[in-house]
Amino acid sequence: MYSMVMFILDDVDYCRDILTAWEKTGVYGATVLDSSGLGRVRKAGIRDDIPLIPSLHDLFKNSETQHRTLFTVVDSDEQVDAIVKATEAVVGSLEKPDTGFLFVMPVSHVYGRSKKE
């Protein structure tokens, strides 16, 4: 049975380390998306960091704090367990605040997923 592992990472500085740790568990493909949660969007609010006469850089600079959402599809519960352990080895216990949110969903069908040669 296939499973999708999704992890919303709070501290983007850990992204490379987590991907490396996942690779060591046998993950050979993952997708990484920039994302932002409701709390951070609300906290960002109205931009007050733009100077009176802004440059293009000032206008396009993003002051909103980002998350990274990582996801992969695996084919065993053992690999899911290994990914959870590898993730916690990098960010600490997921039960602590400001580490991230990891969840697993069953996947009924998978197409286009081939083994790395």
Side-chain angles (χ1 to χ4, degrees):
M1 179 68 156
Y2 289 100
S3 297
M4 178 181 286
V5 178
M6 295 196 75
F7 179 52
I8 296 111
L9 172 64
D10 265 14
D11 187 340
V12 298
D13 292 336
Y14 287 124
C15 190
R16 279 189 194 273
D17 294 336
I18 289 171
L19 291 171
T20 299
W22 282 18
E23 281 182 304
K24 290 178 182 176
T25 71
V27 170
Y28 55 89
T31 299
V32 179
L33 303 173
D34 289 332
S35 57
S36 192
L38 177 62
R40 292 189 189 223
V41 170
R42 283 187 178 158
K43 190 176 183 181
I46 298 171
R47 288 193 58 188
D48 60 358
D49 62 330
I50 299 176
L52 183 59
I53 303 173
S55 68
L56 283 176
H57 179 323
D58 293 327
L59 292 174
F60 291 113
K61 183 171 52 173
N62 186 0
S63 64
E64 186 176 313
T65 304
Q66 296 289 314
H67 293 295
R68 294 287 186 272
T69 298
L70 295 74
F71 59 96
T72 189
V73 174
V74 298
D75 57 10
S76 71
D77 288 339
E78 292 78 22
Q79 194 167 18
V80 170
D81 293 339
I83 289 170
V84 172
K85 287 179 187 172
T87 302
E88 287 187 320
V90 174
V91 300
S93 171
L94 292 170
E95 298 306 317
K96 292 184 180 177
D98 303 320
T99 53
F101 179 67
L102 188 145
F103 59 97
V104 180
M105 298 180 295
V107 176
S108 63
H109 296 82
V110 174
Y111 304 95
R113 183 178 186 265
S114 59
K115 298 283 184 191
K116 186 176 182 179
E117 295 178 18

